[in-house]
Amino acid sequence: MRIGQGYDAHRMVEGRPCVICGEVINYPFGPDGHSDGDVPVHALIDALLGAAALGDIGRLFPDCDDKYLGISSILLLKETGALLAERGYRLVNADVTIVAQRPKLSQYIDKMRHNLASALSVEDSCISVKATTEEGMGFTGDCSGISAHAVVLIESL
Ligand code: MG
């Protein structure tokens, strides 16, 4: 068994599609980024890579590479899952926490879990997605940014 942890944060800007865990959310601001800026997916990718000691998202999918411009981060997650499978690892479970004052995410949580589980070819029950706020404090509190944490457990087959 191996554990991995990931963290990411992006600025929220007006007019960007608001894609969070592969769900397009009706909200006037969205995460800035080279890809679609899907913050919790980036945290989850880093947690997976960390667990397998395979580097980080920036090394695997460099943001100077036009190949990844505007790409769905769910596709990057799929690639990451395939890379771990190639190395003989299986995901046991993942726990993702999204930190955002707005938008409110509770109604999307089950769809988000399903999107992540599908990308990683695991049961929805292996994936937890939680949303919290920082009570109005800091960059998530004033809605200028969004952040996410992820923890994963993988096992060697
Ligand atoms: Mg990122």
Side-chain angles (χ1 to χ4, degrees), residues 7-8 14 20-21 28-29 31 42 44 51-52 54 85 88 104-105 110 119 124-125 139 145 147 149 152 157:
Y7 171 79
D8 195 26
E14 201 166 2
I20 303 179
C21 290
F29 297 82
H42 293 182
L44 179 55
L54 289 173
K104 287 290 166 208
L105 300 172
D110 286 339
D124 291 11
S125 61
F139 68 83
S147 68
H149 303 262
V152 303
L157 293 173

Side-chain angles (χ1 to χ4, degrees), residues 3 13 26 43-44 52 56 62 70 72 76 84 89 95 99 111 113-114 117-118 121 126 143 147 150:
I3 194 169
V13 296
N26 186 13
L44 179 55
D56 61 44
S72 162
L76 306 181
L84 263 71
Y89 293 117
D95 188 14
V99 187
K111 285 182 184 163
R113 292 176 57 210
H114 184 68
S118 298
S121 304
C126 297
C143 300
S147 68

Side-chain angles (χ1 to χ4, degrees), residues 78-150:
K78 258 186 207 172
E79 257 187 69
T80 305
L83 183 68
L84 263 71
E86 261 171 43
R87 305 288 176 119
Y89 293 117
R90 186 185 77 88
L91 176 64
V92 177
N93 74 304
D95 188 14
V96 177
T97 302
I98 305 162
V99 187
Q101 194 73 33
R102 294 262 182 282
K104 287 290 166 208
L105 300 172
S106 52
Q107 60 176 306
Y108 302 101
I109 294 291
D110 286 339
K111 285 182 184 163
M112 291 175 172
R113 292 176 57 210
H114 184 68
N115 295 342
L116 303 180
S118 298
L120 292 168
S121 304
V122 296
E123 298 289 319
D124 291 11
S125 61
C126 297
I127 307 285
S128 158
V129 175
K130 315 192 296 295
T132 190
T133 73
E134 289 181 303
E135 302 282 339
M137 298 180 289
F139 68 83
T140 69
D142 67 14
C143 300
S144 61
I146 176 174
S147 68
H149 303 262

